Each structure stands twice: as structure tokens, then as C-alpha cells.
Amino acid sequence: MMDFTRRKLAATAALAIVVFSVVAVRAEDASNGGVKLERLKWAGLQQRLANPNVKYTIVDAWSTTCGPCKENFPHVVEMNRKYAPKGLAVISLSLDDPTDKAAVNEAERFLKAHHAAFSNVLLDEEFGEGFDKLNINAIPAVFIFGPDGKEVKRFTMDDPKNQFTYKDVETFVAQLLASK
Amino acid sequence: MRKAVLSLVAVAAIAVPAFAGKGYNSAVKIGDKAPEISGLPAVYKGETTSVSLKDIKENVVVVVFLANHCPAVGMYEDRLIEFTKDYEGKNVRVLGISVSQQEGDKLPGIKDYMKDKGSNYIYAYDESQAVGKAYGASNTPHFFVLDKERNIRYIGAMDNSPKEEKVTKHYLRDAVDAVLAGKTPEVEETRPYGCGISYAK
């Protein structure tokens, strides 16, 4: 009798643990909205940028080794929350070394922690090539593309006398969406 | 007709982007007189000193913008130490400059960093960030090679890969060798690689 009760208790406990962990996993999924980091070649990214279903696409170029990028990432999340319903598609573009597993894992962890519920791309090209492709010296850098995939505007840190802030970006985006 | 062509030329001249040369630097281009560097506090061989471009006697000066916190600077540190060692006594002076306003990138941080890494170059701190702005320094590391007349002869990256084992082109060494030999560097400008420099508004 004792034995049976114990077994039952043990079984119940085990079941509870299983149920609890399933719920916990689900809760985590829900909280990060299934955030994932997707590998794309430069050509694949270009295809993604031509998006006739939105008014504009904004791309935030960042990496896990870039302090200012990470500090400002909440602005990107906020722009998605505010402007996605108004026709803005948001893409985060990691320029981390795609062959560096630790960096890629860290990028994924960071995106999940920030609930980056939009397209998160890891540029799957030779490390460093993204800067040439985008024609920038440094990150963070933000780009805005029209529905045809053509660049409308870029914000960079490359000119010491004319560096952007994310406030500049948001002001520009708000005006752009209001005018179309 | 001639007038029309001329005005077209004028329009083209205005339409040239603000970026000089190949388009990697917003402030200076190859052949420009190097902007002044004057009275910056610096560390050399563990001692605090002061550095001015006009006091440097060597024929070639390599100015490199650095920041202790930057992972890319860390990746290049061994290469920079080796470069400085290899060109010692060859009429080349290496001058590192931090314009970063992060606490660890200021003079005391520089002293600790150099001791820790065994850095053998002069490493100065530009609190005003004016030197960085004048050179259009956008990255760390970002290299500038100056000749005897202190004209800018090379701007950009040290080599073609942050991963030392993948380096196939030694831009900085090639440029310095050329200038020392009185020749024009084959590659005069490349895109700098590394952390962006944040300037105070």
C-alpha cells in the first residue's frame, strides 16, 4: 500500500515535471515569438529586400562585438512595434563571422533576449565582406529600402562630423510612412 | 554647346559625394597634408609623455587610431607590435591615438593596456576627439601613413583580413616600404576594418 502510494506520488511528480517543463518551454517560445536567426547570402538578402507587401523595409546592421549596436537594439525593436502595423518591415542583419559558432549562438541568444520578433538575418558570406557589400566602414548602420528593393536612405557612423542617432532614424521613418 | 558641356561638368563636380578619394574617408584624401597632432598626452615605454607630429624626426609616421575596448584592435595588437619592432631603426615611427571616450580607453587605461600587451609604440590620447575628426577616423584600427613632408600616402586597413592566418595582402607594410623607397604605394587606400568610433555630438 505504502509502496503503491509512493509509486503513484513519484509518477504524479514525474508527470508534473514533464507537464511543467512543456509549459515552460511553450512560455519561452511565446515570449520570444519564435525568434530565429536565418542564414542568407547577399543575393538572398537582396531578394528579401524587394518586398511589394510593405511600404518600406528597414535593415539594422549589427554584430555581437559591436557595443553601440547592442545598446541601440531596443530602438529597432521599438520601431518594429510602432511601425510594422503601418507598413514597415524590419530586418536585423548580423555581420558576425558565420563560421564562428560561439558568435552565432550569442547573436541568437541576444535576439531572443530582446524579443526580436521580426526577420533576423545572419549574412552568410566571408567574414568582413558585408562591409564591402553594404559599402560601409563601421556599424551600427541603418538602411531603408523601397518595396522595389532600392535603397532610399542610409544612416552610418562613417563620417565623424555626420554620425547618426536612432532618433534620427525614427524621425525619418515616421515622416516617410506618414507621407505615403 | 561648349557652355552646356561646361555646366554639365559643374553639376558633376557638385554631385561628387562628400567622401574623398575612393570613398572610404570623409575628411582627407591621398596627398593631403596630414592634419596637425599637437601636445597630446601619451604613453611610451611605460612613461607618460607628450607627443606632437612636428617633433617626430622619422621619415615615415604611421598614425593608427585605436581603442582598448575594441575586439578588432585586440585581434591586430600582435601584428601592430610586430610591425613596430620590424620597422624600428628604419626611420619609421608608429603613433597610436585613442579618441574614445570610454573610461578604459583614456590615458590610465592606455598605460595598463600597453603594460598588459607589451605594446612598443607611442600611444596617445585625444580627449577632444579633434584629431580623429580631422583625419576622418571612422574605425579602430584605422591606419594613415605620412611621408617626410607629412603628406598622407596611405589610408585604411593594415591588411586584408582580421584573421591573421587568412592575410594575403599586407597593405600597411607595402605602403611603408614604398614610401621609404621614394615610390608611390601600389594600393593607396582601402576600407578600414574594425569597431566604429563614436564621436560626441
Side-chain angles (χ1 to χ4, degrees):
Chain A
M1 185 68 189
M2 269 301 271
D3 196 40
F4 177 75
T5 310
R6 265 199 200 147
R7 258 193 231 163
K8 201 175 164 188
L9 265 176
T12 311
L15 186 68
I17 286 167
V18 169
V19 169
F20 188 77
S21 42
V22 167
V23 169
V25 167
R26 286 239 175 98
E28 195 179 288
D29 266 358
S31 71
N32 62 41
V35 172
K36 61 180 201 296
L37 182 59
E38 180 186 4
R39 284 174 186 263
L40 281 183
K41 295 275 179 200
W42 178 251
L45 176 66
Q46 297 306 301
Q47 285 172 4
R48 189 67 58 88
L49 294 178
N51 183 354
N53 301 318
V54 295
K55 287 181 184 168
Y56 294 97
T57 298
I58 189 167
V59 174
D60 181 66
W62 75 291
S63 85
T64 57
T65 53
C66 169
C69 302
K70 291 192 283 189
E71 268 165 45
N72 282 295
F73 199 76
H75 291 290
V76 181
V77 176
E78 177 66 8
M79 278 190 274
N80 179 63
R81 191 187 65 77
K82 268 168 96 171
Y83 301 115
K86 293 178 179 166
L88 184 73
V90 175
I91 298 178
S92 78
L93 178 66
S94 159
L95 299 183
D96 282 293
D97 181 355
T99 66
D100 181 343
K101 273 188 190 143
V104 174
N105 286 343
E106 173 55 21
E108 223 156 14
R109 190 205 61 77
F110 179 86
L111 293 165
K112 283 180 178 164
H114 284 80
H115 311 297
F118 37 79
S119 289
N120 299 297
V121 175
L122 171 68
L123 188 65
D124 196 12
E125 299 283 354
E126 186 77 20
F127 183 39
E129 213 171 296
F131 292 90
D132 278 326
K133 298 278 193 200
L134 293 164
N135 191 24
I136 50 168
N137 289 357
I139 48 176
V142 175
F143 305 82
I144 294 163
F145 299 90
D148 53 1
K150 284 194 181 132
E151 187 180 314
V152 173
K153 174 88 177 166
R154 59 171 55 205
F155 298 87
T156 77
M157 303 296 279
D158 293 357
D159 179 355
K161 294 186 186 81
N162 190 25
Q163 295 189 322
F164 82 100
T165 64
Y166 279 78
K167 201 171 167 230
D168 300 337
V169 177
E170 197 179 332
T171 305
F172 183 84
V173 166
Q175 282 171 358
L176 198 62
L177 289 169
S179 68
K180 194 172 174 180
Chain B
M1 184 61 202
R2 185 148 180 237
K3 204 175 173 188
V5 170
L6 276 178
S7 55
L8 266 180
V9 169
V11 169
I14 292 164
V16 166
F19 280 47
K22 268 191 181 169
Y24 303 139
N25 195 293
S26 60
V28 292
K29 60 181 188 300
I30 300 301
D32 280 3
K33 193 88 191 158
E36 200 180 337
I37 299 168
S38 182
L40 292 183
V43 180
Y44 185 52
K45 293 184 173 166
E47 300 295 322
T48 304
T49 176
S50 159
V51 66
S52 298
L53 198 52
K54 64 172 170 45
D55 295 336
I56 296 177
K57 303 277 182 286
E58 282 79 5
N59 282 353
V60 169
V61 181
V62 174
V63 174
V64 52
F65 290 88
L66 302 170
N68 304 335
H69 78 270
C70 169
V73 168
M75 287 173 91
Y76 273 100
E77 185 61 30
D78 287 348
R79 273 173 269 185
L80 186 55
I81 290 171
E82 206 179 316
F83 174 89
T84 307
K85 194 167 150 243
D86 289 352
Y87 284 84
E88 210 177 323
K90 290 184 181 169
N91 241 329
V92 176
R93 174 60 67 188
V94 179
L95 170 59
I97 301 175
S98 162
V99 304
S100 166
Q101 296 188 328
Q102 289 195 28
E103 212 45 51
D105 296 340
K106 298 178 177 178
L107 212 62
I110 286 173
K111 209 166 191 173
D112 292 345
Y113 176 90
M114 295 182 85
K115 196 176 168 189
D116 183 43
K117 304 275 182 183
S119 311
N120 49 358
Y121 42 87
I122 303 177
Y123 193 167
Y125 184 60
D126 170 26
E127 190 178 13
S128 72
Q129 299 189 309
V131 176
K133 279 185 188 166
Y135 279 80
S138 58
N139 294 63
T140 58
H142 196 167
F143 292 85
F144 297 78
V145 175
L146 320 182
D147 64 15
K148 201 176 176 187
E149 286 73 42
R150 302 304 182 236
N151 292 322
I152 299 171
R153 304 295 298 277
Y154 173 77
I155 308 172
M158 185 173 212
D159 51 39
N160 67 335
S161 178
K163 294 180 181 173
E164 200 168 356
E165 68 278 9
K166 288 200 169 178
V167 171
T168 54
K169 290 191 166 71
H170 302 270
Y171 304 125
L172 179 68
R173 282 175 183 262
D174 292 350
V176 169
D177 289 345
V179 174
L180 283 173
K183 293 175 186 162
T184 299
E186 204 171 306
V187 178
E188 297 178 286
E189 199 176 355
T190 59
R191 185 185 299 288
Y193 171 83
C195 308
I197 298 177
S198 295
Y199 287 90
K201 288 272 170 189

